[in-house]
Amino acid sequence: MTGSGDDTVPLTVLDGDERTELAVAPGRNLRRVLLEAGLSPYAAATHRLNCRGRGLCATCGVRIREGPAPEHWHDSVADRFGYPRLSCQVAVDEAMTVELVDKLVWGSREPSPASE
């Protein structure tokens, strides 16, 4: 685990079979934390071509398996319909588990439980 102390919150990042545990200062931006840790939320094509965290391009999507409810309008819609949430619009304020998404540009929709 990176960092220590009571002034951090745990962040678990799942990337395929890899699991990374980070300790993050509360309030940090999830996208920035991921990039600093070498865990890019971007596809190869969008690593350089993105909006730099302004919530406009929807290329930094991750699946939040455990963590805060959506607050940004895009995240609310994405969460409702099973799409990845924008890591640039999420603050790490509580313990979280996020999954990096395999994608060409944007992440695909997860099937709803009713359709399985």
Side-chain angles (χ1 to χ4, degrees):
M1 184 173 292
T2 304
S4 64
D6 295 332
D7 57 341
T8 61
V9 293
L11 171 64
T12 302
V13 182
L14 308 174
D15 185 8
D17 293 334
E18 299 291 318
R19 179 184 183 99
T20 303
E21 303 283 340
L22 303 170
V24 180
R28 294 281 322 274
N29 177 272
L30 178 58
R31 174 187 166 273
R32 289 187 192 121
V33 168
L34 292 171
L35 290 171
E36 289 169 9
L39 300 165
S40 179
Y42 296 108
T46 60
H47 185 73
R48 291 180 185 240
L49 301 171
N50 60 72
C51 70
R52 303 290 185 241
R54 292 179 286 165
L56 301 172
C57 70
T59 61
C60 66
V62 297
R63 301 241 182 250
I64 298 182
R65 299 300 183 197
E66 294 178 30
E71 292 181 5
H72 184 267
W73 69 267
H74 181 281
D75 279 352
S76 295
V77 173
D79 187 59
R80 181 175 177 198
F81 292 103
Y83 289 98
R85 289 176 51 194
L86 301 181
S87 63
C88 68
Q89 300 300 313
V90 176
V92 182
D93 286 328
E94 61 186 71
M96 297 176 65
T97 299
V98 301
E99 181 180 358
L100 301 182
V101 179
D102 285 333
K103 53 193 165 190
L104 293 175
V105 176
W106 299 281
S108 61
R109 182 174 182 218
E110 286 189 314
S112 65
S115 65
E116 293 179 335

